[in-house]
Amino acid sequence: MKLSSQINLGVFALMLLAFTVLSSIELSEIKSRTSVSIEQEAEEARLRYETTVLQTSAMSSQSKQSVIDAMLRQMVLQPFLSAAKVIDVEGNVFAKYERSPNIIVPNWYLKLDSAPAVNKKIPFSNNDGYLLVTSDTSYIYTEITAILIKNAVIFCGLFFALALYIVTVTKFARRPIANTIKKLNEINSHDFTPSQVNAFTTDYRQLTSTVNTLTTSLASKFNDIAQQSERFKTEANKDTLTKLSNRSAFERHTRALLSDTSNFQEKELILIRLAQLTTINTKLGMLAGDNYVKSIADFLVHEAKHNCKSGFVFRLSGGDFALISEIMGRDERDLMLENMSKQFANATPLRDGSKATWMGVTRFSSQMSLQQVMESADSALMAAMKTQKGWQFSSEVSQVHSNTKWRERLNYIVSQQYADILIQPVMNVERNAPAYYETFARFKDKDTNDVIPMAQLIPASERLDLIPQVDKLVAGIVFKKLTVTSHQVAINISNASIANGEFRKWLIEELRTRETLCPRLIFEVEDAALIHHREVAENFCRQLIQLGCRITIEHFGDNFASLAGLRAIQPQFVKLSGRLTQGIHTNKDNQLFVSSLINIAKGLNIHVIAEMVENEAESVALSKLDVEHQQGYYFSKPSLWTMY
């Protein structure tokens, strides 16, 4: 009920009570006045009777009767009297006059005022009987009804005036509260624009002052976070090692080219894969591998500037690069690719005679999708691995053949129902003990028995819609291992699997048959799923939580749009984007940005995990920022999950 309605109801009750009390008092006063009037009238009648009748002895009985009748009739003409009688000393009625009531008194009044009519007995002075007069009940009813109507009109008018005043006052009084609620809703909707809420009365001054201070403070903090976010987005589009644009930037750049249908001219895409990078990292160490990658990146940037028209270079993953440029003639492109192949061979620290790089070249137009472009380039790259020169044009190979090969490899993996499962601890640094272990799957090629790089397997699985099958395989293996170990482990669920209704149904049904495992299971979901598949992802995560599982949202900080999903899901963990944690001990901007993200997460009662922690300095800096869970090579590399 509104405040004004509550006040008006209270005022109405008080006025009704006052109306009742006042009417009762006035009824009593009317009765009292009527009684006095009756007594006065009776006394005057007695005097007239004694003067006219008793003191006139010569009057005949008939004349005496006539005089008395006239006197009684005159008395009863008074509106407050209904009857008058003269009674002798023996109790006999000598004369009387009665008048019918002017109106009929309703039953409700008789119940309200149950007292009988007033009778007044006035004795004559010579003890020759007495005069008896009776009041008229309808007179009192008429009087009190008139007063009730008058009071009702006055009270109604007064009540409506007061009600209007109360509504007006409360309307103005509620305005700062309404403005405060509006401002809080705007804050809830991420609108931190500062505004001043004015108080109508001093009672709300403290409230409005607090809200004004809050909005100003939040606006300042949000502006700081927004500025940090913009800087971080710029950094997030760069590869930390080579400072080249990364895969996300490549996809945005390519999509922008494909969507510009009015001005688009055909382009060429070259995919470059460093064939020896894994071997270099294994034999010579990670530092040698990093230096090799940086030298290749520097050469590609130089090539894009001097030998390509409008060339852009991207690092897609560990050993994969992309170069987008204007179309060249075939001879010119062959010469460029041959030169690149020689330079790559010279840059490698290995001198074992094996091929240093593979390159796949494709042309694309605005009629193609990004997936089609990547399929074409990937087909050329796979075909290049079988050539002596080390590069191949997509126009000279069968793309269908390439996809068929990948489908065979992936179907073989799924049919074998086997994968090596690696685990890496997520450490609770305060307790110096694992909070849980994240699992990783590694698959081997059926022909070479070599581990298939995830940078190749995942895009191929996405392209062929086989990721849900791969995720099913991994989850099934983890479930089996959990039956013989007490570990708490995390399983990564891809965005494609979350969007797949059949996979979601399968996983929920599997978990319902394994309820004892649920408290030890954590499912890691990318924050991008909360943007691209928001409703599905939120419902799916809530189902998992209801079964007793826990949720970790990965890459927290990459996308502010996922914050609404955090509130809806209430996951147990968020994992900070690795781009934020790397080198955080020297990056003040990232420290401020991470601190803001931590405050957001902890405000929602969510634990924060930092991934890719590589050294002690990073770990100490994160601990100072109150990040209690950390993961990375500083604590442990992923290792094969073996059962003892």
Side-chain angles (χ1 to χ4, degrees), residues 6-190:
Q6 295 180 15
I7 296 175
N8 285 331
L9 187 60
V11 170
F12 178 78
L14 289 174
M15 294 188 69
L16 182 62
L17 178 62
F19 174 80
T20 303
V21 172
L22 182 60
S23 298
S24 299
I25 292 173
E26 291 192 334
L27 175 61
S28 178
E29 289 181 352
I30 290 173
K31 285 186 174 182
S32 179
R33 289 199 307 271
T34 303
S35 178
V36 171
S37 298
I38 290 172
E39 191 169 349
Q40 290 176 349
E41 184 65 27
E43 185 63 31
E44 291 176 2
R46 180 185 65 79
L47 292 175
R48 287 197 300 273
Y49 176 78
E50 291 179 348
T51 302
T52 331
V53 178
L54 298 180
Q55 295 180 7
T56 307
S57 57
M59 185 178 295
S60 64
S61 297
Q62 186 176 1
S63 299
K64 183 178 180 179
Q65 182 69 46
S66 298
V67 170
I68 293 173
D69 289 344
M71 180 187 70
L72 295 178
R73 189 180 300 108
Q74 184 65 32
M75 286 179 64
V76 174
L77 289 176
Q78 297 295 330
F80 47 79
L81 293 178
S82 64
K85 300 178 183 178
V86 175
I87 301 174
D88 59 22
V89 293
E90 295 177 354
N92 299 318
V93 177
F94 179 74
K96 68 176 182 177
Y97 185 81
E98 294 179 346
R99 174 174 56 80
S100 299
N102 295 327
I103 59 174
I104 298 175
V105 179
N107 290 330
W108 66 264
Y109 176 76
L110 295 176
K111 292 179 180 179
L112 182 66
D113 183 17
S114 58
V118 178
N119 290 313
K120 285 291 182 179
K121 184 189 296 184
I122 308 297
F124 297 128
S125 57
N126 60 355
N127 295 323
D128 190 18
Y130 58 87
L131 177 64
L132 180 65
V133 293
T134 303
S135 64
D136 188 353
T137 303
S138 64
Y139 169 77
I140 297 177
Y141 163 73
T142 303
E143 287 290 307
I144 194 62
T145 301
I147 289 175
L148 288 175
I149 293 173
K150 178 194 71 173
N151 289 347
V153 171
I154 294 173
F155 275 86
C156 286
L158 182 61
F159 172 74
F160 283 115
L162 285 173
L164 181 61
Y165 173 76
I166 290 169
V167 169
T168 304
V169 170
T170 53
K171 179 180 179 181
F172 283 100
R174 288 199 315 270
R175 185 172 296 172
I177 298 178
N179 292 338
T180 299
I181 294 172
K182 178 183 177 183
K183 189 68 240 175
L184 292 176
N185 286 332
E186 289 175 354
I187 292 173
N188 188 53
S189 301
H190 306 137

Side-chain angles (χ1 to χ4, degrees), residues 410-430:
L410 292 170
N411 285 335
Y412 174 79
I413 288 171
V414 173
S415 67
Q416 292 299 300
Q417 288 296 297
Y418 178 80
D420 288 331
I421 303 297
L422 284 66
I423 56 174
Q424 184 182 34
V426 174
M427 297 296 293
N428 185 321
V429 293
E430 292 183 355

